[in-house]
Amino acid sequence: MPYPPPPRVPSGPRRRSLLASVAGGALLVGCSDGTGSSEEGTAGSPSVVERARVRAARDSRGIVERYDAVLAAHPALAERVGPLRAEAVRHAEAFGGTATTASPTASSSTSPTSSSSASPSPSAAVPTTEKEALAQLAAAERALADRRAKALLDVPGELARLLASVAAAGAGHAYLLTEAAR
């Protein structure tokens, strides 16, 4: 009696299970209570943690400036973009930074000459159409969320959880902005 041919299922773990394991491992790295020895290692040194926190606050302030530039150029977007800007302000504050406290409607009521004299950052050049401005904001949020997702692997505990949360919020903002640009 001949033996049946071997099954065509490859041996070893599948790609999905490997990706799930890696993602789960990354989450577990950030899920310490802050009292373990991971805080004492190189990644947990105050200088690394503080630099990451300062960078995250600076990035949040930068995205708030982008929102302000878009609102100044396209005041009609205030209802759509204002809540996302408010979240970005809260993100900056969560990292210990400060963001401009001007409301979306207040910043959108400034005259074009006053907004250009405030010398926004060069990266805050706003496209002339609302659709392009929303697409540019979405791209900026997506890039920032990706940078934060990478950075959370290098920091311990609470800061990693905060970076993960803010990165997820940024990805959500990018999605909403992309949908609004359609």
Side-chain angles (χ1 to χ4, degrees):
M1 173 182 265
Y3 289 106
R8 308 239 339 126
V9 177
S11 63
R14 294 181 180 237
R15 189 179 329 171
R16 286 183 187 163
S17 61
L18 283 175
L19 289 173
S21 297
V22 169
L27 289 175
L28 288 176
V29 167
C31 292
S32 68
D33 64 354
T35 60
S37 61
S38 67
E39 291 286 329
E40 299 164 3
T42 305
S45 69
S47 62
V48 171
V49 171
E50 187 57 30
R51 281 194 314 258
R53 185 178 296 278
V54 167
R55 185 179 325 113
R58 183 183 65 232
D59 289 344
S60 291
R61 285 190 308 270
I63 202 77
V64 168
E65 290 172 4
R66 283 180 174 263
Y67 278 110
D68 288 343
V70 167
L71 288 170
H74 304 287
L77 293 176
E79 184 177 327
R80 185 172 291 160
V81 174
L84 301 178
R85 181 203 177 274
E87 285 296 316
V89 168
R90 283 192 281 276
H91 295 162
E93 292 167 352
F95 288 116
T98 57
T100 56
T101 57
S103 69
T105 54
S107 64
S108 65
S109 65
T110 60
S111 68
T113 56
S114 67
S115 65
S116 63
S117 65
S119 67
S121 64
S123 62
V126 179
T128 56
T129 68
E130 290 180 359
K131 185 175 180 178
E132 290 172 351
L134 289 172
Q136 185 184 58
L137 265 177
E141 282 278 14
R142 193 174 303 107
L144 182 55
D146 290 345
R147 280 196 314 270
R148 285 180 170 158
K150 288 178 186 173
L152 74 90
L153 298 174
D154 297 331
V155 295
E158 192 61 33
L159 183 56
R161 287 188 286 273
L162 181 58
L163 277 171
S165 176
V166 173
H173 292 180
Y175 172 78
L176 292 171
L177 291 165
T178 300
E179 290 299 308
R182 289 186 182 186

